[in-house]
């Protein structure tokens, strides 16, 4: 084993248990007995969950800005009117994940409407803009303009917030900041689904700052250590091997890459929930005994489903029809002039720039609060992308 390595994917609890084992064996004489061949890799599924949790801690959990008419909480009253209470207490990963996607879609629709009208006064709706059949170069140019105007950067936001309050537009600042953070999360999701490990690696640093600022110090510390090892400490060939093994594609389809810890958690779902047995059979001994047969059970189900031409027998739910709801939210954003600057406009709360806050905390090595190891509880709906 001294000439080989073993990659272990997991969450922070897995890392802590591995460190405990290593510490208990540190006096052994051989690298094998000291478990030096084991390399822990932070699971990207849990990394994505931590990103969603950081956005929840920034935009939904604080009570100060919930009553602001353009806050994310007020948008949730449109997207999920019957779940506002759950969203501020224990929403779970899937709800937060969907809310982030739907909110940024509505915001970007409003940005595209404004920029289309700026290009041509006759393009006063997205439908008329689409009917004009713009070229791809026009779409790219307008996209860059939208990013420059409506997506905050730390230097630009610092400059805007340093101005006198009489000319500041706090609501516009909050909106552009939320656009940035939600687009960062969308970029992580898209990069993981497409298997673009370079983009995933590039996302680590800004999210480390966000983790630090939102009290997720263990995640910030572990991701920092992993990033430093990946780029500087490990041999180049080992780093390349690790990059190529952070994601996998179980189905072999396009846009279907998954984190390795996602596959592990999915197997746990089948082992501990779906095929665990009921009543007196639902014991640990029964689960361990039948765990090697999980794939056999699944294949039997697939054979029966295919034989009787049964369809949609899967844990993958149909996507909800959200177009009308997103249009409704986009209309509200338009009515609130969220993407149009107005000097002197107030907001109930100025959302902190967590990237900037995290940079300061890491430079000063300050810890503002402790955190729990877990982020969201994992359930069956979390395995749907």
């Amino acid at each position: 084993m001294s000439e080989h390595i073993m990659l272990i994917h997991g969450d922070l609890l897995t890392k802590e248990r591995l460190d405990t084992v290593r510490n208990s064996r540190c006096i052994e004489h051989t690298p094998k007995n000291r478990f030096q061949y084991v390399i822990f890799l932070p699971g990207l599924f849990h990394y994505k969950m931590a990103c969603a949790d950081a956005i929840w801690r920034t935009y939904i959990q604080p009570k100060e800005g919930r009553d602001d008419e353009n806050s994310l909480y007020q948008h949730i009253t449109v997207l999920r009117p019957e779940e506002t209470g759950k969203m501020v207490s224990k929403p779970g990963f899937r709800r937060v994940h969907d809310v982030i996607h739907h909110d940024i879609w509505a915001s970007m629709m409003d940005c595209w409407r404004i920029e289309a009208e700026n290009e041509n006064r006759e393009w006063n709706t997205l439908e008329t803009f689409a009917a004009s059949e713009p070229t791809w170069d026009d779409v790219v140019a307008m996209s860059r303009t939208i990013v420059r105007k409506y997506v905050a950067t730390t230097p630009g936001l610092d400059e805007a917030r340093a101005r006198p309050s009489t000319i500041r537009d706090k609501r516009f600042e909050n909106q552009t900041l939320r656009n940035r953070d939600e687009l960062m999360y969308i970029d992580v999701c898209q990069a993981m689904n497409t298997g673009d490990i370079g983009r995933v690696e590039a996302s680590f640093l800004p999210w480390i700052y966000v983790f630090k600022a939102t009290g997720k110090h263990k995640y910030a510390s572990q991701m920092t250590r992993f990033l430093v090892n990946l780029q500087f400490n490990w041999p180049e060939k080992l780093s390349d091997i690790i990059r190529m093994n952070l994601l996998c594609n179980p189905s072999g389809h396009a846009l279907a890459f998954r984190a390795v810890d996602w596959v592990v958690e999915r197997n746990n779902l089948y082992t501990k929930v779906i095929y665990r047995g009921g009543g007196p059979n639902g014991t640990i001994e029964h689960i361990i005994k039948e765990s090697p047969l999980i794939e056999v059970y699944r294949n039997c189900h697939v054979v029966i489903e295919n034989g009787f031409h049964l369809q949609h027998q899967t844990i993958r739910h149909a996507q909800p029809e959200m177009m009308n709801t997103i249009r409704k939210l986009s209309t509200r954003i338009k009515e609130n002039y969220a993407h149009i600057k107005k000097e002197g406009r107030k907001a109930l709360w100025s959302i902190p720039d967590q990237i900037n806050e995290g940079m300061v905390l890491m430079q000063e090595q300050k810890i503002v609060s402790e955190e729990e190891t877990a982020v969201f509880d994992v359930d069956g709906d979390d395995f749907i992308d």
Side-chain angles (χ1 to χ4, degrees):
M1 292 300 296
S2 299
E3 300 178 358
H4 300 79
I5 61 169
M6 178 182 295
L7 304 180
I8 295 183
H9 303 254
D11 57 5
L12 294 184
L13 185 58
T14 304
K15 169 64 173 173
E16 291 175 358
R17 290 177 174 174
L18 179 59
D19 289 341
T20 301
V21 173
R22 280 178 170 168
N23 291 337
S24 67
R25 290 173 167 264
C26 62
I27 62 174
E28 299 293 337
H29 297 290
T30 64
K32 176 183 176 182
N33 291 337
R34 290 194 297 267
F35 274 65
Q36 290 184 353
Y37 61 89
V38 176
I39 296 180
F40 173 79
L41 306 181
L44 294 184
F45 175 56
H46 288 85
Y47 165 68
K48 183 165 74 170
M49 292 175 67
C51 295
D53 183 53
I55 290 181
W56 179 80
R57 294 185 183 202
T58 302
Y59 294 98
I60 302 176
Q61 186 185 39
K63 298 179 181 179
E64 294 85 352
R66 291 181 191 171
D67 293 332
D68 196 304
E69 61 183 11
N70 202 50
S71 66
L72 182 55
Y73 178 80
Q74 293 298 322
H75 289 187
I76 291 172
T77 63
V78 178
L79 295 171
R80 293 174 174 262
E82 299 180 357
E83 297 183 345
T84 53
K86 188 178 290 291
M87 287 299 300
V88 299
S89 56
K90 293 184 178 180
F93 167 68
R94 175 53 49 180
R95 286 187 182 87
V96 176
H97 174 87
D98 289 342
V99 162
I100 294 171
H101 278 76
H102 296 154
D103 183 64
I104 193 62
W105 292 348
S107 296
M108 288 298 103
M109 285 175 63
D110 187 57
C111 293
W112 274 99
R113 177 192 61 80
I114 294 173
E115 282 308 303
E117 192 170 2
N118 290 341
E119 290 287 327
N120 189 332
R121 290 296 178 183
E122 296 181 356
W123 297 343
N124 53 3
T125 65
L126 290 178
E127 289 75 14
T128 55
F129 170 65
S132 67
E133 298 182 355
T135 64
W136 180 248
D137 291 338
D138 292 336
V139 172
V140 172
M142 292 176 66
S143 300
R144 291 175 175 170
T145 301
I146 288 173
V147 172
R148 187 177 68 253
K149 286 185 176 181
Y150 309 112
V151 179
T153 61
T154 293
L157 192 62
D158 288 344
E159 181 182 352
R161 289 181 169 176
R163 296 172 182 169
S165 58
T166 55
I167 61 174
R168 280 183 59 186
D169 186 350
K170 295 183 179 180
R171 192 172 297 173
F172 181 80
E173 294 168 5
N174 287 346
Q175 181 63 49
T176 57
L177 183 59
R178 191 165 79 239
N179 288 346
R180 183 201 70 182
D181 291 347
E182 289 180 339
L183 284 173
M184 282 172 49
Y185 179 77
I186 298 295
D187 182 62
V188 170
C189 296
Q190 292 291 331
M192 290 178 60
N193 290 342
T194 56
D196 190 346
I197 196 60
R199 279 170 60 199
V200 174
E201 183 179 343
S203 74
F204 289 161
L205 185 57
W207 280 110
I208 286 172
Y209 294 137
V210 175
F211 293 159
K212 190 71 174 180
T214 54
K216 304 179 72 62
H217 306 293
K218 292 181 181 179
Y219 268 96
S221 145
Q222 292 299 338
M223 294 304 300
T224 300
R225 186 176 294 109
F226 173 70
L227 185 60
V228 170
N229 287 336
L230 187 66
Q231 296 186 347
F232 302 106
N233 294 340
W234 287 329
E236 183 177 352
K237 291 185 178 180
L238 175 59
S239 295
D240 290 340
I241 291 172
I242 290 173
R243 289 186 180 99
M244 294 299 103
N245 285 275
L246 284 172
L247 296 169
C248 61
N249 193 329
S251 66
H253 299 156
L255 305 178
F257 280 84
R258 300 291 181 263
V260 175
D261 58 321
W262 180 91
V263 179
V264 174
E265 293 287 355
R266 184 170 175 269
N267 289 340
N268 289 341
L269 174 70
Y270 280 111
T271 303
K272 299 178 182 179
V273 179
I274 297 179
Y275 300 121
R276 69 183 296 271
N281 288 332
T283 62
I284 295 179
E285 291 76 12
H286 178 81
I287 292 174
I288 295 175
K289 182 179 179 181
E290 296 203 353
S291 59
L293 304 175
I294 296 302
E295 288 299 325
V296 176
Y297 293 152
R298 291 185 58 205
N299 291 335
C300 290
H301 283 203
V302 171
V303 169
I304 294 174
E305 290 164 6
N306 293 339
F308 287 94
H309 299 282
L310 300 178
Q311 298 180 351
H312 308 298
Q313 304 300 313
T314 174
I315 65 172
R316 185 182 180 90
H317 298 179
Q319 291 292 332
E321 179 53 55
M322 293 293 295
M323 185 54 66
N324 292 335
T325 304
I326 292 174
R327 284 199 182 102
K328 182 179 178 181
L329 178 56
S330 184
T331 300
R332 170 179 277 197
I333 295 173
K334 175 184 176 182
E335 293 172 350
N336 292 333
Y337 301 99
H339 293 106
I340 297 178
K341 285 186 179 180
K342 290 187 176 183
E343 291 187 356
R345 187 162 54 168
K346 306 294 184 182
L348 297 179
W349 183 49
S350 288
I351 299 171
D353 180 0
Q354 303 291 30
I355 291 182
N356 188 36
E357 297 288 334
M359 288 181 183
V360 173
L361 289 174
M362 293 194 74
Q363 290 172 357
E364 297 178 352
Q365 290 299 315
K366 287 184 178 180
I367 297 179
V368 293
S369 63
E370 291 298 329
E371 63 160 350
E372 296 180 355
T373 301
V375 281
F376 293 126
D377 293 332
V378 180
D379 55 36
D381 288 341
D382 296 338
F383 300 100
I384 307 164
D385 271 331

